[in-house]
C-alpha cells in the first residue's frame, strides 16, 4: 500500500537520496555525467529543506519513503520515484494527489516542467507540450493538462 503525506524536515536526507539515485541510475541515460553531478548537488538535504519551505512538498511511503513531488498552486516540481519502485503507479498516484488539490483550489490546468527522461510519463498522464526551454540543467519541456472544475 502506498500512502501520501506532507514532507517532514526529517525526510530531507531520504528525499535527497531518492533523487540522487534516480538521477544517477535513470536520468543519466539522457544527460552527461557533469550535468548529473550538478543536479545531485542542487538537491542536497539542505536544498530540499529550502525547497520544502517554498512549495508544498509531498512524499509517498510504502514501508519506506519511495517518492516525492512538490507543487506551488498548479505548478509541479521535483517528481522523483525510487528507481527500485518504478512502474508501480506511485508517480501517477502522487500526480493525481496534487492535481486534485489544485483543482479544488479552482485552477483550470496543471503545468509541469519535464526532463527528457520524464517527458513520456507526463504524456501518459494526459499532459501535452506547450513549449521547450533551455535551463541550467539542459532541455526542459513545459507541459499542461486541463483540470476538471470542482463544484464549491
Ligand atoms: C518518471 C517517473 C516519475 C515515473 O514514476 P513511476 O512511479 O515509475 O510511474 P507510474 O508507474 O506511476 O507510471 C504511470 C504511467 O506512466 C508510464 N510511464 C512511466 N514512466 C514513463 C516514461 N519515462 N515514459 C513513458 N511512460 C512512462 C507507465 O507505463 C504508466 O502507464 P500506464 O498507467 O498506462 O501503465 C519515474 O520514472 C522517475 O522518477 N524517473 C526519474 C526521475 C524523473 O525523470 N522525474 C521526472 C522529472 S521531470
Amino acid at each position: 500500500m502506498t500512502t501520501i503525506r506532507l514532507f517532514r524536515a526529517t525526510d530531507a536526507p531520504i528525499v535527497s537520496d531518492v533523487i540522487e539515485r534516480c538521477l544517477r541510475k535513470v536520468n543519466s541515460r539522457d544527460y552527461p555525467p557533469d550535468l548529473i553531478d550538478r543536479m545531485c548537488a542542487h538537491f542536497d538535504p539542505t536544498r530540499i529543506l529550502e525547497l520544502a519551505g517554498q512549495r508544498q512538498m509531498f512524499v509517498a511511503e510504502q514501508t519506506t519513503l519511495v517518492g516525492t513531488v512538490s507543487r506551488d498552486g498548479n505548478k509541479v516540481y521535483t517528481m522523483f520515484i525510487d528507481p527500485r519502485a518504478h512502474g508501480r503507479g506511485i508517480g501517477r498516484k502522487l500526480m493525481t494527489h496534487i492535481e486534485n488539490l489544485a483543482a479544488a483550489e479552482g485552477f483550470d490546468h496543471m503545468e509541469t516542467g519535464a526532463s527528457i527522461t520524464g517527458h513520456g510519463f507526463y504524456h501518459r498522464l494526459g499532459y501535452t507540450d506547450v513549449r521547450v526551454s533551455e535551463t541550467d540543467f539542459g532541455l526542459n519541456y513545459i507541459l499542461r493538462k486541463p483540470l476538471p472544475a470542482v463544484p464549491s
Side-chain angles (χ1 to χ4, degrees), residues 18-19 22-23 26-27 30-31 66 68 77-83 85-95 112-125 140-141:
V18 165
I19 295 176
C22 254
L23 290 168
V26 183
N27 300 70
D30 300 313
Y31 294 93
V66 286
T68 186
Y77 298 95
T78 35
M79 156 59 77
F80 289 93
I81 305 298
D82 187 321
H86 282 185
R88 296 189 203 159
I90 303 166
R92 183 189 284 277
K93 189 165 183 172
L94 278 168
M95 287 302 297
T112 188
S115 61
I116 298 168
T117 322
H119 196 196
F121 165 71
Y122 289 113
H123 282 163
R124 195 75 191 150
L125 266 56
N140 199 41
Y141 298 92

Side-chain angles (χ1 to χ4, degrees), residues 20 23-24 27-28 31-41:
E20 173 157 5
L23 290 168
R24 296 206 184 280
N27 300 70
S28 58
Y31 294 93
D34 61 316
L35 199 72
I36 294 292
D37 286 343
R38 278 204 289 123
M39 286 190 205
C40 289

Side-chain angles (χ1 to χ4, degrees), residues 76 135 144:
V76 184
T135 71
R144 284 188 185 169

Side-chain angles (χ1 to χ4, degrees), residues 103-152:
E105 288 172 6
F107 290 100
D108 65 358
H109 71 277
M110 208 70 189
E111 183 171 306
T112 188
S115 61
I116 298 168
T117 322
H119 196 196
F121 165 71
Y122 289 113
H123 282 163
R124 195 75 191 150
L125 266 56
Y127 285 73
T128 53
D129 292 315
V130 176
R131 64 179 187 279
V132 177
S133 67
E134 191 61 43
T135 71
D136 289 349
F137 296 124
L139 197 69
N140 199 41
Y141 298 92
I142 307 298
L143 302 99
R144 284 188 185 169
K145 174 182 177 173
L147 294 174
V150 176
S152 50

